[in-house]
Amino acid sequence: MRRRITLKVSAESESIYLRSPGEEADLFRTSGLGLVSLASAAGSSILAFPGRQPGQVQIVRLPALDPTLPAMPPPPSHDPTSAPYPAVSVLLAHTSALAAISVTPDGRLLASASKQGTLVRIWDTQTSRLVKELRRGTDSAEIFSLSLRADGGAIAVSSDKGTVHVWDLHRHKKDAEAQQQQESGSGAS
């Protein structure tokens, strides 16, 4: 289990350096802008940042954080029997460059928005599947920020249009399930 990590984001060199005490730094190339989101809950293990190609999100699965350990432990010894890390996957999230990303504290969900600013997509980080696609508007907009509620039940997105959009993701799921039941029920008649 990881005890702590050091993360250095360099927009100039378009790279992210990830280091655990006593280990060599891992270097990840990115498309810049300094976008990064780290799941912060105890036991979480997700780090997300732009991929090398426009619209890509790299998801790095880190060793889980052990909440029972002190905040500043001595460096761990390398355990050759432990699973290799970091495990990396790449999402093809959008067709244009990313403007914002956010993960839930437990790392279960990731939200992304592109520079076009019309769509917000919610992804399951374990399966890399699209969970929900939300339309912010039809006009392009510069997305300033997006944030998922800790439980993944809502998302807020602010833009240069002077608006903040808030979606209740639980309600959208219930509405979709109700519509699916209604459609399957009407097809049986």
Side-chain angles (χ1 to χ4, degrees), residues 5-20 25-30 34-36 38 47 49:
I5 61 168
T6 302
L7 183 67
K8 177 185 172 190
V9 180
S10 174
E12 293 83 31
S13 65
E14 298 184 342
S15 57
I16 293 178
Y17 301 91
L18 176 67
R19 185 177 172 276
S20 292
D26 290 301
L27 171 66
F28 298 97
R29 296 287 179 205
T30 180
L35 291 178
V36 66
L38 177 67
L47 171 68
F49 51 91

Side-chain angles (χ1 to χ4, degrees), residues 75-97:
S77 61
H78 177 67
D79 179 4
T81 63
S82 65
Y85 101 92
V88 179
S89 59
V90 177
L91 283 176
L92 302 175
H94 298 272
T95 56
S96 59

Side-chain angles (χ1 to χ4, degrees), residues 28-67:
F28 298 97
R29 296 287 179 205
T30 180
S31 63
L33 296 176
L35 291 178
V36 66
S37 188
L38 177 67
S40 58
S44 64
S45 65
I46 298 294
L47 171 68
F49 51 91
R52 295 181 96 178
Q53 300 298 317
Q56 290 182 342
V57 178
Q58 289 188 65
I59 299 173
V60 179
R61 286 168 186 78
L62 304 169
L65 177 65
D66 185 346

Side-chain angles (χ1 to χ4, degrees), residues 9-170:
V9 180
S10 174
E12 293 83 31
S13 65
E14 298 184 342
S15 57
I16 293 178
Y17 301 91
L18 176 67
R19 185 177 172 276
S20 292
E23 296 180 11
E24 289 187 32
D26 290 301
L27 171 66
F28 298 97
R29 296 287 179 205
T30 180
S31 63
L33 296 176
L35 291 178
V36 66
S37 188
L38 177 67
S40 58
S44 64
S45 65
I46 298 294
L47 171 68
F49 51 91
R52 295 181 96 178
Q53 300 298 317
Q56 290 182 342
V57 178
Q58 289 188 65
I59 299 173
V60 179
R61 286 168 186 78
L62 304 169
L65 177 65
D66 185 346
T68 63
L69 297 174
M72 300 295 281
S77 61
H78 177 67
D79 179 4
T81 63
S82 65
Y85 101 92
V88 179
S89 59
V90 177
L91 283 176
L92 302 175
H94 298 272
T95 56
S96 59
L98 295 174
I101 55 174
S102 178
V103 294
T104 53
D106 64 4
R108 188 176 45 89
L109 296 176
L110 175 137
S112 64
S114 73
K115 291 232 179 205
Q116 188 160 350
T118 55
L119 296 175
V120 175
R121 293 186 173 132
I122 314 295
W123 303 89
D124 180 315
T125 61
Q126 298 305 310
T127 64
S128 298
R129 289 187 179 207
L130 180 64
V131 174
K132 192 75 179 168
E133 184 174 87
L134 305 164
R135 181 161 291 281
R136 187 225 39 89
T138 55
D139 292 339
S140 292
E142 182 180 353
I143 302 297
F144 293 144
S145 67
L146 63 93
S147 183
L148 284 159
R149 193 169 70 193
D151 68 355
I155 186 170
V157 178
S158 66
S159 72
D160 68 344
K161 299 293 185 182
T163 59
V164 175
H165 295 263
V166 180
W167 288 276
D168 179 344
L169 299 176
H170 291 310

